Amino acid sequence: MTIADVILVGGKLINVNSRTIDSIDVGILDGKFTFEATGAKKFIELGGSFIAPGFIDAHMHVESTMLPPSSFVPLALPHGTTSAIFDPHEIANVLGIKGIQLILDDADGLPFDSFFTASSCVPASPLETSGANLLSNDLEPLFEDERVIALAEMMNFPGVLQEDIEVMKKINMGLQHGKIDGHCPGLRGNDLQKYIDAGISSDHESTTAEEAIEKLNRGMTIYIREGSAAKNLEALLPIITPENANQICFCTDDRHPADLHLTGHIDHIVRKAIALGLDPVLAICIATKHPASHYNLEQLGSIEEGKLANFIIFDNLEEPKPKQTWHRGTLVAEKGKTIPNIQCCTDWSPALNSVHLPSSITRESFDIKVESELVRVIGLVPGQLFTEELHLPRTDEDVLNMAVIERHHNTGNIGLGLVKGFQFKNGSIASTVGHDAHNIAVVGDNCGDMYIAAQALAACGGGQCVVSNGQVLALLPLPIAGLMSEAPPTEVIAQQKTVLDAIHSLGCPMEDPFMPLSFLPLSVIPKLKLSDLGLVDVDQFAIVPLEVCES
């Protein structure tokens, strides 16, 4: 006779295997599901509430929450997320293997199943200067940790197509140890097929249904991304059918702390997908079973005999809002609050003091002098990571100066460019969150405020700030590698609000202009980006001049 620790009675089980709703009691024994118990130490009456597996984020960078795992988890659990596949390549680009190990250590022992991918592109490309350069030999030891389950997003798709020796070494290593995540925005046709034939299994960079369908038809798993910066759900939702849904997962990629706390995590994507017309059960399957199946996480993703008892309880199928979250058979969140007292015990001292300005930098370092009538301008696209290449007069309205300052090796590199879309005046914003090398990115309409903003971030060890008329209006310190804070999440969220209020006071209409700013240095997503080495044409994979040559 089997006596369960708990039996949940009177609930409606979301069966992600059959895609049905079953009226069946669910037992928990030693942290796992059981349906064989004849009794229990405790019975919990659900009164018709729904039971579903815990949500899984198929791909995210925890550093982008501005919080280490031990601070991220208390925000994620009330939203029903019980597992995530983290790619720590943000901190890897600053601190290398040392940074990855700090994240692994901080995630250990949390009431959350953390998995990791070995960051494949550090740096993301040769068109930027990062804090580290990780080769296959550097990454190989990471797979000794059973939580490291794949090679992270292979952003260097030109290297794959050209069969670069080191890139292929990383790919072969990834195939030996599990999956290889992809990252190939806009790649189509024969080039896409060669990229897939190398062994790359997934992609989260599709922005149109046409692009995603081609990748699906060629065998890729598509992660539909709905984060704080890139929002692709509405465009990609039409690709989902009952027949191909097993090749679809949800991910956030990057999620800011206030969005995570107030709006939600994967649960937000599920609710939005349902509101847009997706079948609720199918939406839950995409958020649970499908990422677990993709990564061969056999103990997760469904409510079955012997699997880990990670699950949520909610009332409204059309708008699932977890009222309870359970992890390995223990109630860990209820009514929007995390129950365990999770505290960070990680020594972050090796990740501090990582921001170094060139000693030669002055206000004049930010001055952009051009002689041509037309200049190349980075054009922001709302809600997307890709940008446009605009050819405009230097004096065109809303064209602001931008600088990316190398902060790792005292090279003195300062890339200068122009950007359109921020729409603020009389000030500057700056951030050390600048994917993927995380140099200092500064945008402003005058050199003095840009200089002061860069100085302010160097003084506090990194973060985000707003400057106007020579004064720092607001500052969000992120001293852990210039990416994260040890402060409580509520304090980080309050500081973020102060920074956003400050930039809004200068006329910027964007909800969060620091998100597009953080991706403007990313030299692997088209079209124009800016690194410390200069203006990057991603399609050409080359540095291009600021001035447009007249024919």
Side-chain angles (χ1 to χ4, degrees):
M1 185 172 67
T2 301
I3 303 298
D5 297 318
V6 175
I7 292 183
L8 306 168
V9 299
K12 299 174 183 177
L13 169 65
I14 305 296
N15 188 328
V16 294
N17 294 317
S18 62
R19 298 180 183 174
T20 58
I21 300 174
D22 302 336
S23 295
I24 186 172
D25 296 342
V26 179
I28 302 169
L29 177 62
D30 297 330
K32 297 181 179 181
F33 294 117
T34 182
F35 295 90
E36 299 176 351
T38 56
K41 300 174 185 176
K42 182 179 181 181
F43 291 87
I44 298 177
E45 174 59 52
L46 296 185
S49 293
F50 295 92
I51 314 168
F55 295 135
I56 302 172
D57 193 327
H59 170 78
M60 76 171 296
H61 309 286
V62 69
E63 307 98 308
S64 292
T65 67
M66 303 183 189
L67 305 167
S70 56
S71 296
F72 159 77
V73 167
L75 291 186
L77 288 175
H79 293 287
T81 306
T82 56
S83 185
I85 292 83
F86 296 126
D87 174 7
H89 81 200
E90 316 300 353
I91 198 168
N93 270 278
V94 179
L95 299 172
I97 294 295
K98 176 175 65 177
I100 294 175
Q101 193 59 56
L102 284 168
I103 294 288
L104 286 166
D105 291 346
D106 190 63
D108 193 32
L110 299 175
F112 189 90
D113 291 310
S114 300
F115 298 94
F116 296 87
T117 56
S119 305
S120 69
C121 296
V122 180
S125 85
L127 303 176
E128 59 187 311
T129 305
S130 68
N133 183 16
L134 297 183
L135 303 177
S136 54
N137 290 339
D138 301 312
L139 298 174
E140 181 77 40
L142 293 175
F143 288 97
E144 295 174 7
D145 190 317
E146 63 181 10
R147 295 172 296 169
V148 180
I149 58 174
L151 185 70
E153 51 185 322
M154 179 48 70
M155 294 182 287
N156 187 4
F157 61 82
V160 178
L161 301 180
Q162 296 163 12
E163 299 183 26
D164 175 88
I165 293 175
E166 180 57 31
V167 168
M168 300 315 291
K169 282 184 180 179
K170 290 177 180 176
I171 286 175
N172 290 332
M173 176 186 65
L175 291 174
Q176 291 174 11
H177 294 289
K179 300 284 185 178
I180 302 174
D181 286 348
H183 181 289
C184 55
L187 199 63
R188 309 292 291 273
N190 292 336
D191 285 346
L192 173 61
Q193 191 60 54
K194 184 171 183 178
Y195 184 78
I196 295 169
D197 288 345
I200 297 165
S201 65
S202 66
D203 180 71
H204 60 272
E205 290 294 338
S206 294
T207 58
T208 67
E210 183 183 22
E211 178 183 353
I213 287 171
E214 180 179 357
K215 291 173 179 176
L216 272 178
N217 290 341
R218 292 178 183 268
M220 275 189 144
T221 295
I222 295 297
Y223 299 168
I224 296 180
R225 172 178 56 190
E226 188 76 4
S228 291
K231 302 177 189 298
N232 307 128
L233 177 64
E234 192 164 353
L236 300 187
L237 197 67
I239 74 172
I240 302 174
T241 68
E243 293 74 26
N244 69 18
N246 63 315
Q247 287 178 253
I248 309 289
C249 303
F250 290 142
C251 79
T252 58
D253 200 7
D254 297 283
R255 194 74 171 148
H256 265 189
D259 293 338
L260 179 63
H261 178 57
L262 299 173
T263 307
H265 192 212
I266 298 298
D267 63 322
H268 165 67
I269 306 179
V270 169
R271 288 192 295 271
K272 185 172 180 179
I274 294 169
L276 291 171
L278 188 63
D279 174 75
V281 173
L282 194 55
I284 291 170
C285 292
I286 292 171
T288 58
K289 177 180 174 61
H290 298 178
S293 297
H294 180 76
Y295 286 107
N296 299 316
L297 301 175
E298 297 178 354
Q299 292 296 303
L300 299 177
S302 59
I303 299 176
E304 296 181 62
E305 183 73 33
K307 290 199 173 186
L308 293 175
N310 295 352
F311 63 96
I312 61 172
I313 298 173
F314 62 95
D315 290 331
N316 187 349
L317 186 62
E318 296 299 321
E319 192 178 4
K321 292 184 177 181
K323 62 180 183 180
Q324 287 188 350
T325 303
W326 293 63
H327 175 260
R328 301 197 177 196
T330 298
L331 180 63
V332 292
E334 186 171 27
K335 297 179 181 178
K337 295 183 179 179
T338 298
I339 294 173
N341 182 18
I342 301 172
Q343 296 186 352
C344 175
C345 300
T346 304
D347 178 8
W348 291 106
S349 57
L352 306 180
N353 304 311
S354 66
V355 180
H356 310 284
L357 280 180
S359 58
S360 60
I361 195 169
T362 66
R363 286 169 172 77
E364 288 68 35
S365 301
F366 298 90
D367 191 19
I368 297 177
K369 296 182 175 66
V370 293
E371 296 181 359
S372 298
E373 180 179 344
L374 296 179
V375 290
R376 289 182 173 86
V377 176
I378 302 169
L380 299 182
V381 179
Q384 302 296 338
L385 303 188
F386 64 84
T387 61
E388 298 176 321
E389 177 176 340
L390 306 176
H391 293 177
L392 299 171
R394 172 69 180 87
T395 55
D396 191 84
E397 187 178 0
D398 185 35
V399 172
L400 300 178
N401 286 11
M402 180 174 176
V404 175
I405 308 162
E406 195 278 320
R407 59 121 161 165
H408 306 293
H409 307 294
N410 291 310
T411 62
N413 295 344
I414 302 178
L416 296 177
L418 298 162
V419 62
K420 181 179 177 69
F422 283 103
Q423 301 181 47
F424 66 81
K425 295 181 180 180
N426 300 319
S428 173
I429 62 173
S431 176
T432 51
V433 180
H435 304 286
D436 279 325
H438 299 292
N439 290 307
I440 302 175
V442 191
V443 170
D445 67 353
N446 68 89
C447 296
D449 285 343
M450 294 176 74
Y451 173 75
I452 292 170
Q455 292 280 5
L457 294 189
C460 71
Q464 297 177 341
C465 70
V466 180
V467 174
S468 181
N469 296 319
Q471 300 294 320
V472 177
L473 300 184
L475 177 67
L476 166 57
L478 301 172
I480 301 175
L483 302 172
M484 297 174 288
S485 174
E486 288 185 272
T490 52
E491 184 176 330
V492 176
I493 291 169
Q495 291 171 333
Q496 183 190 30
K497 183 179 184 304
T498 300
V499 168
L500 294 178
D501 287 346
I503 187 57
H504 293 155
S505 74
L506 300 184
C508 181
M510 296 179 182
E511 181 179 351
D512 183 357
F514 287 95
M515 286 305 286
L517 175 63
S518 71
F519 285 97
L520 287 181
L522 184 54
S523 60
V524 293
I525 294 183
K527 171 68 164 66
L528 281 187
K529 296 295 165 72
L530 183 68
S531 80
D532 65 300
L533 301 181
L535 192 63
V536 178
D537 184 321
V538 180
D539 291 338
Q540 297 184 42
F541 216 56
I543 303 294
V544 295
L546 182 61
E547 296 180 303
V548 177
C549 296
E550 298 180 1
S551 57

mmCIF file of all heavy atoms in Angstrom, residues 496-522:
data_model
loop_
_atom_site.group_PDB
_atom_site.id
_atom_site.type_symbol
_atom_site.label_atom_id
_atom_site.label_comp_id
_atom_site.label_asym_id
_atom_site.label_seq_id
_atom_site.Cartn_x
_atom_site.Cartn_y
_atom_site.Cartn_z
ATOM 1 N N GLN A 496 14.963 51.483 -10.890
ATOM 2 C CA GLN A 496 14.672 51.466 -12.317
ATOM 3 C C GLN A 496 13.550 52.456 -12.642
ATOM 4 O O GLN A 496 13.623 53.179 -13.640
ATOM 5 C CB GLN A 496 14.281 50.062 -12.767
ATOM 6 C CG GLN A 496 14.039 49.958 -14.272
ATOM 7 C CD GLN A 496 13.431 48.634 -14.679
ATOM 8 O OE1 GLN A 496 12.692 48.019 -13.914
ATOM 9 N NE2 GLN A 496 13.740 48.184 -15.890
ATOM 10 N N LYS A 497 12.540 52.503 -11.804
ATOM 11 C CA LYS A 497 11.434 53.443 -12.029
ATOM 12 C C LYS A 497 11.927 54.889 -11.983
ATOM 13 O O LYS A 497 11.521 55.729 -12.797
ATOM 14 C CB LYS A 497 10.331 53.243 -10.993
ATOM 15 C CG LYS A 497 9.112 54.150 -11.220
ATOM 16 C CD LYS A 497 8.025 53.918 -10.183
ATOM 17 C CE LYS A 497 6.776 54.753 -10.494
ATOM 18 N NZ LYS A 497 7.051 56.194 -10.610
ATOM 19 N N THR A 498 12.832 55.177 -11.055
ATOM 20 C CA THR A 498 13.366 56.534 -10.946
ATOM 21 C C THR A 498 14.122 56.919 -12.215
ATOM 22 O O THR A 498 13.988 58.048 -12.713
ATOM 23 C CB THR A 498 14.304 56.635 -9.722
ATOM 24 O OG1 THR A 498 13.576 56.310 -8.537
ATOM 25 C CG2 THR A 498 14.870 58.037 -9.586
ATOM 26 N N VAL A 499 14.888 55.977 -12.749
ATOM 27 C CA VAL A 499 15.638 56.234 -13.975
ATOM 28 C C VAL A 499 14.677 56.459 -15.150
ATOM 29 O O VAL A 499 14.867 57.376 -15.960
ATOM 30 C CB VAL A 499 16.604 55.061 -14.262
ATOM 31 C CG1 VAL A 499 17.166 55.151 -15.663
ATOM 32 C CG2 VAL A 499 17.743 55.055 -13.244
ATOM 33 N N LEU A 500 13.648 55.635 -15.247
ATOM 34 C CA LEU A 500 12.701 55.770 -16.349
ATOM 35 C C LEU A 500 11.899 57.070 -16.228
ATOM 36 O O LEU A 500 11.633 57.742 -17.230
ATOM 37 C CB LEU A 500 11.758 54.567 -16.388
ATOM 38 C CG LEU A 500 12.425 53.225 -16.728
ATOM 39 C CD1 LEU A 500 11.400 52.095 -16.687
ATOM 40 C CD2 LEU A 500 13.103 53.279 -18.087
ATOM 41 N N ASP A 501 11.516 57.421 -15.012
ATOM 42 C CA ASP A 501 10.810 58.691 -14.817
ATOM 43 C C ASP A 501 11.685 59.864 -15.271
ATOM 44 O O ASP A 501 11.193 60.837 -15.864
ATOM 45 C CB ASP A 501 10.424 58.876 -13.350
ATOM 46 C CG ASP A 501 9.276 57.968 -12.919
ATOM 47 O OD1 ASP A 501 8.600 57.398 -13.808
ATOM 48 O OD2 ASP A 501 9.072 57.823 -11.703
ATOM 49 N N ALA A 502 12.977 59.765 -15.012
ATOM 50 C CA ALA A 502 13.893 60.848 -15.369
ATOM 51 C C ALA A 502 13.999 61.010 -16.883
ATOM 52 O O ALA A 502 13.948 62.138 -17.399
ATOM 53 C CB ALA A 502 15.271 60.586 -14.766
ATOM 54 N N ILE A 503 14.121 59.920 -17.617
ATOM 55 C CA ILE A 503 14.246 60.050 -19.070
ATOM 56 C C ILE A 503 12.916 60.464 -19.697
ATOM 57 O O ILE A 503 12.880 61.196 -20.675
ATOM 58 C CB ILE A 503 14.805 58.758 -19.710
ATOM 59 C CG1 ILE A 503 15.092 58.968 -21.191
ATOM 60 C CG2 ILE A 503 13.888 57.585 -19.513
ATOM 61 C CD1 ILE A 503 16.054 60.089 -21.499
ATOM 62 N N HIS A 504 11.808 60.035 -19.103
ATOM 63 C CA HIS A 504 10.512 60.488 -19.601
ATOM 64 C C HIS A 504 10.352 61.998 -19.409
ATOM 65 O O HIS A 504 9.702 62.669 -20.222
ATOM 66 C CB HIS A 504 9.382 59.744 -18.887
ATOM 67 C CG HIS A 504 9.331 58.282 -19.213
ATOM 68 N ND1 HIS A 504 8.771 57.341 -18.374
ATOM 69 C CD2 HIS A 504 9.787 57.589 -20.301
ATOM 70 C CE1 HIS A 504 8.893 56.148 -18.929
ATOM 71 N NE2 HIS A 504 9.510 56.269 -20.084
ATOM 72 N N SER A 505 10.954 62.520 -18.356
ATOM 73 C CA SER A 505 10.864 63.963 -18.117
ATOM 74 C C SER A 505 11.602 64.776 -19.176
ATOM 75 O O SER A 505 11.358 65.972 -19.331
ATOM 76 C CB SER A 505 11.426 64.308 -16.731
ATOM 77 O OG SER A 505 12.851 64.217 -16.712
ATOM 78 N N LEU A 506 12.492 64.107 -19.920
ATOM 79 C CA LEU A 506 13.216 64.780 -21.006
ATOM 80 C C LEU A 506 12.509 64.615 -22.344
ATOM 81 O O LEU A 506 13.043 65.012 -23.382
ATOM 82 C CB LEU A 506 14.646 64.233 -21.103
ATOM 83 C CG LEU A 506 15.524 64.399 -19.866
ATOM 84 C CD1 LEU A 506 16.936 63.892 -20.141
ATOM 85 C CD2 LEU A 506 15.563 65.840 -19.392
ATOM 86 N N GLY A 507 11.320 64.003 -22.318
ATOM 87 C CA GLY A 507 10.512 63.923 -23.531
ATOM 88 C C GLY A 507 10.536 62.598 -24.251
ATOM 89 O O GLY A 507 9.887 62.452 -25.296
ATOM 90 N N CYS A 508 11.259 61.596 -23.735
ATOM 91 C CA CYS A 508 11.304 60.300 -24.402
ATOM 92 C C CYS A 508 9.963 59.582 -24.214
ATOM 93 O O CYS A 508 9.522 59.371 -23.082
ATOM 94 C CB CYS A 508 12.429 59.441 -23.840
ATOM 95 S SG CYS A 508 12.564 57.820 -24.630
ATOM 96 N N PRO A 509 9.295 59.186 -25.310
ATOM 97 C CA PRO A 509 7.984 58.551 -25.184
ATOM 98 C C PRO A 509 8.043 57.052 -24.957
ATOM 99 O O PRO A 509 7.017 56.437 -24.683
ATOM 100 C CB PRO A 509 7.336 58.860 -26.533
ATOM 101 C CG PRO A 509 8.484 58.869 -27.488
ATOM 102 C CD PRO A 509 9.656 59.437 -26.718
ATOM 103 N N MET A 510 9.235 56.439 -25.080
ATOM 104 C CA MET A 510 9.354 54.989 -24.945
ATOM 105 C C MET A 510 9.075 54.555 -23.511
ATOM 106 O O MET A 510 9.465 55.230 -22.557
ATOM 107 C CB MET A 510 10.758 54.517 -25.321
ATOM 108 C CG MET A 510 11.150 54.750 -26.744
ATOM 109 S SD MET A 510 12.842 54.157 -26.989
ATOM 110 C CE MET A 510 13.082 54.592 -28.701
ATOM 111 N N GLU A 511 8.441 53.422 -23.375
ATOM 112 C CA GLU A 511 8.195 52.882 -22.040
ATOM 113 C C GLU A 511 9.507 52.633 -21.314
ATOM 114 O O GLU A 511 9.652 52.945 -20.142
ATOM 115 C CB GLU A 511 7.387 51.582 -22.152
ATOM 116 C CG GLU A 511 7.049 50.961 -20.808
ATOM 117 C CD GLU A 511 6.237 49.687 -20.955
ATOM 118 O OE1 GLU A 511 5.794 49.371 -22.085
ATOM 119 O OE2 GLU A 511 6.039 48.991 -19.941
ATOM 120 N N ASP A 512 10.481 52.042 -22.015
ATOM 121 C CA ASP A 512 11.785 51.760 -21.413
ATOM 122 C C ASP A 512 12.868 51.894 -22.482
ATOM 123 O O ASP A 512 13.222 50.927 -23.156
ATOM 124 C CB ASP A 512 11.814 50.357 -20.811
ATOM 125 C CG ASP A 512 13.133 50.052 -20.120
ATOM 126 O OD1 ASP A 512 14.048 50.897 -20.159
ATOM 127 O OD2 ASP A 512 13.267 48.957 -19.538
ATOM 128 N N PRO A 513 13.416 53.092 -22.670
ATOM 129 C CA PRO A 513 14.424 53.292 -23.721
ATOM 130 C C PRO A 513 15.743 52.573 -23.456
ATOM 131 O O PRO A 513 16.558 52.434 -24.380
ATOM 132 C CB PRO A 513 14.627 54.808 -23.727
ATOM 133 C CG PRO A 513 14.222 55.252 -22.363
ATOM 134 C CD PRO A 513 13.116 54.336 -21.948
ATOM 135 N N PHE A 514 15.953 52.118 -22.224
ATOM 136 C CA PHE A 514 17.195 51.400 -21.946
ATOM 137 C C PHE A 514 17.223 50.017 -22.594
ATOM 138 O O PHE A 514 18.287 49.451 -22.794
ATOM 139 C CB PHE A 514 17.424 51.294 -20.436
ATOM 140 C CG PHE A 514 17.836 52.589 -19.815
ATOM 141 C CD1 PHE A 514 16.898 53.431 -19.243
ATOM 142 C CD2 PHE A 514 19.162 52.980 -19.827
ATOM 143 C CE1 PHE A 514 17.270 54.644 -18.692
ATOM 144 C CE2 PHE A 514 19.550 54.187 -19.274
ATOM 145 C CZ PHE A 514 18.607 55.025 -18.703
ATOM 146 N N MET A 515 16.053 49.454 -22.912
ATOM 147 C CA MET A 515 16.039 48.164 -23.593
ATOM 148 C C MET A 515 16.590 48.282 -25.011
ATOM 149 O O MET A 515 17.509 47.556 -25.383
ATOM 150 C CB MET A 515 14.649 47.552 -23.574
ATOM 151 C CG MET A 515 14.244 46.993 -22.222
ATOM 152 S SD MET A 515 15.421 45.782 -21.540
ATOM 153 C CE MET A 515 15.088 44.359 -22.569
ATOM 154 N N PRO A 516 16.053 49.189 -25.867
ATOM 155 C CA PRO A 516 16.687 49.318 -27.185
ATOM 156 C C PRO A 516 18.138 49.775 -27.101
ATOM 157 O O PRO A 516 18.977 49.341 -27.905
ATOM 158 C CB PRO A 516 15.809 50.340 -27.911
ATOM 159 C CG PRO A 516 15.020 51.022 -26.855
ATOM 160 C CD PRO A 516 14.845 50.024 -25.751
ATOM 161 N N LEU A 517 18.446 50.639 -26.125
ATOM 162 C CA LEU A 517 19.841 51.069 -25.968
ATOM 163 C C LEU A 517 20.752 49.874 -25.721
ATOM 164 O O LEU A 517 21.863 49.793 -26.268
ATOM 165 C CB LEU A 517 19.960 52.067 -24.814
ATOM 166 C CG LEU A 517 21.387 52.511 -24.467
ATOM 167 C CD1 LEU A 517 22.012 53.257 -25.626
ATOM 168 C CD2 LEU A 517 21.396 53.367 -23.206
ATOM 169 N N SER A 518 20.275 48.920 -24.919
ATOM 170 C CA SER A 518 21.131 47.784 -24.563
ATOM 171 C C SER A 518 21.424 46.884 -25.750
ATOM 172 O O SER A 518 22.398 46.119 -25.726
ATOM 173 C CB SER A 518 20.476 46.966 -23.441
ATOM 174 O OG SER A 518 19.346 46.261 -23.906
ATOM 175 N N PHE A 519 20.594 46.953 -26.812
ATOM 176 C CA PHE A 519 20.818 46.104 -27.982
ATOM 177 C C PHE A 519 21.461 46.839 -29.151
ATOM 178 O O PHE A 519 21.809 46.211 -30.149
ATOM 179 C CB PHE A 519 19.495 45.472 -28.424
ATOM 180 C CG PHE A 519 19.053 44.353 -27.526
ATOM 181 C CD1 PHE A 519 18.137 44.582 -26.511
ATOM 182 C CD2 PHE A 519 19.575 43.075 -27.675
ATOM 183 C CE1 PHE A 519 17.736 43.553 -25.671
ATOM 184 C CE2 PHE A 519 19.179 42.051 -26.839
ATOM 185 C CZ PHE A 519 18.265 42.285 -25.826
ATOM 186 N N LEU A 520 21.633 48.146 -29.051
ATOM 187 C CA LEU A 520 22.257 48.872 -30.146
ATOM 188 C C LEU A 520 23.717 48.485 -30.375
ATOM 189 O O LEU A 520 24.205 48.609 -31.503
ATOM 190 C CB LEU A 520 22.133 50.380 -29.918
ATOM 191 C CG LEU A 520 20.729 50.963 -30.131
ATOM 192 C CD1 LEU A 520 20.734 52.460 -29.906
ATOM 193 C CD2 LEU A 520 20.211 50.635 -31.527
ATOM 194 N N PRO A 521 24.459 48.003 -29.370
ATOM 195 C CA PRO A 521 25.819 47.536 -29.657
ATOM 196 C C PRO A 521 25.893 46.080 -30.153
ATOM 197 O O PRO A 521 27.000 45.590 -30.400
ATOM 198 C CB PRO A 521 26.525 47.665 -28.290
ATOM 199 C CG PRO A 521 25.631 48.474 -27.429
ATOM 200 C CD PRO A 521 24.247 48.184 -27.921
ATOM 201 N N LEU A 522 24.766 45.397 -30.292
ATOM 202 C CA LEU A 522 24.780 43.963 -30.606
ATOM 203 C C LEU A 522 25.101 43.754 -32.082
ATOM 204 O O LEU A 522 24.254 43.976 -32.959
ATOM 205 C CB LEU A 522 23.442 43.332 -30.243
ATOM 206 C CG LEU A 522 23.324 41.824 -30.412
ATOM 207 C CD1 LEU A 522 24.426 41.084 -29.685
ATOM 208 C CD2 LEU A 522 21.961 41.340 -29.947
#
